[in-house]
Amino acid sequence: MGKKAGYVDPDDEKIKKGQQALIEESERWKGASHKERQQEREVKKAMKNRAKGGRDVDKGSWKQKAAGLVFLLGIFGIGFFSFVASVWDFVIGNGIVNIDVQDTANLKKVLFGGEPWLIYCVNNETINYPLPQVLEENARTLWSNLGLSVGVLQCWDQTASGRSVAQRFKLNLRPPLAFVVANGNKPRVLGLTGLSKVEDIEKKVKPALKVETYRIDTLKKWPSLCTSRRSCVVIGHKQQAQKTTAMNVLEPLQSKFRALKMVTLDTSF
């Protein structure tokens, strides 16, 4: 029997290939199959569990380190860690500066530069003696609290001027001797006997560190308060308001320029 016009034979080989290609193309349009999506989820889950396991290992390592420190403490005792602390203190120093009496430029900076210094004096006999414990333990604290540096100086050795520091400022000619110098003023002798706390030192040195503005009301005050200084600012005024205005501007600068002396003068006297 002949085939009708327009008849398509479903068993034709070309028709079958076309159907198969259409099915494959439609699968690509649909995206991944359920099975493929399930496999992808399992892979992601496995990776996540692996990462979590890595974090657990890190936590475990920290716990092991902590346990190791406790183990060391148990074996060696507190003395071991005290030894480590002592070594660390030796490496970073105790905050005390050794001042070379022959270094003229630095010595002048310490004595006349205006910055606060607590000087502990030694000679050839005492240079190797232990320093007062209150200084060794609190030098850094004094710097932190007051901006006060602590130095060791051979006060009885001859300087470039031909005199010792003790002779220059008419201080004791033998140990013990300690003094505070600040603001370009003459040294103030500091007795360390009986001092065991940093608060004791701070209480004694604070008056010497205070920055003050002095009033000149007699001619006799000029040499000691101004003209004998390396630098001096005179605030002249006729009225109190003028003085107050100038002081409001200049006083905040005194703590920064400590060697600079500041005085007030009533020009109408």
Side-chain angles (χ1 to χ4, degrees):
M1 180 181 292
K3 296 180 181 179
K4 295 181 180 181
Y7 173 77
V8 177
D9 185 1
D11 295 327
D12 186 84
E13 189 66 27
K14 292 182 179 181
I15 296 299
K16 288 182 178 181
K17 289 183 178 180
Q19 288 176 343
Q20 183 63 32
L22 182 61
I23 291 171
E24 292 176 356
E25 185 68 23
S26 65
E27 288 295 333
R28 286 196 292 269
W29 292 345
K30 291 178 182 179
S33 65
H34 173 73
K35 183 178 180 180
E36 290 173 339
R37 289 194 294 270
Q38 181 66 24
Q39 290 176 345
E40 184 179 354
R41 283 196 294 269
E42 290 177 357
V43 171
K44 288 182 178 180
K45 184 177 180 180
M47 292 177 66
K48 184 176 180 181
N49 290 336
R50 184 177 181 182
K52 182 179 179 181
R55 289 193 295 269
D56 291 341
V57 170
D58 290 340
K59 292 179 181 177
S61 65
W62 279 108
K63 290 180 181 179
Q64 291 173 358
K65 292 176 182 178
L69 289 175
V70 174
F71 178 71
L72 286 174
L73 178 61
I75 292 179
F76 297 105
I78 300 297
F80 172 75
F81 289 92
S82 298
F83 169 74
V84 173
S86 299
V87 171
W88 175 250
D89 185 70
F90 173 78
V91 171
I92 65 175
N94 56 12
I96 298 178
V97 180
N98 287 310
I99 303 169
D100 184 359
V101 73
Q102 300 303 324
D103 187 346
T104 303
N106 186 54
L107 184 61
K108 286 183 177 181
K109 185 177 179 181
V110 170
L111 296 176
F112 306 109
E115 294 302 315
W117 279 87
L118 191 165
I119 301 298
Y120 182 78
C121 296
V122 295
N123 60 13
N124 292 333
E125 295 179 3
T126 62
I127 190 170
N128 293 319
Y129 288 6
L131 297 178
Q133 188 175 359
V134 68
L135 292 182
E136 286 195 328
E137 294 181 352
N138 298 294
R140 295 195 198 95
T141 304
L142 290 171
W143 167 254
S144 177
N145 292 350
L146 303 178
L148 177 66
S149 300
V150 179
V152 175
L153 177 67
Q154 291 181 286
C155 300
W156 297 280
D157 283 11
Q158 192 178 61
T159 66
S161 67
R163 295 182 296 174
S164 68
V165 171
Q167 291 173 330
R168 167 69 174 78
F169 294 107
K170 298 180 180 180
L171 303 173
N172 294 339
L173 297 180
R174 61 180 61 86
L177 174 62
F179 61 84
V180 178
V181 61
N183 309 327
N185 296 327
K186 293 181 179 180
R188 291 192 186 188
V189 175
L190 176 67
L192 296 175
T193 304
L195 303 185
S196 59
K197 299 178 181 179
V198 67
E199 293 82 5
D200 298 332
I201 298 180
E202 291 179 355
K203 185 177 180 180
K204 277 200 166 189
V205 302
K206 278 183 177 179
L209 308 186
K210 186 178 180 181
V211 179
E212 296 180 292
T213 301
Y214 295 92
R215 177 189 176 191
I216 293 182
D217 51 13
T218 65
L219 293 176
K220 292 182 179 180
K221 290 184 178 181
W222 274 108
S224 60
L225 296 180
C226 189
T227 56
S228 62
R229 300 293 181 131
R230 294 172 178 264
S231 55
C232 179
V233 173
V234 180
I235 303 173
H237 62 91
K238 288 186 177 181
Q239 299 176 0
Q240 184 63 32
Q242 297 170 335
K243 174 185 173 182
T244 301
T245 300
M247 292 297 292
N248 289 338
V249 174
L250 297 175
E251 271 190 325
L253 301 176
Q254 283 187 288
S255 59
K256 185 176 181 180
F257 302 99
R258 287 179 170 269
L260 180 65
K261 200 64 179 178
M262 195 175 297
V263 297
T264 62
L265 174 66
D266 185 347
T267 56
S268 63
F269 87 95

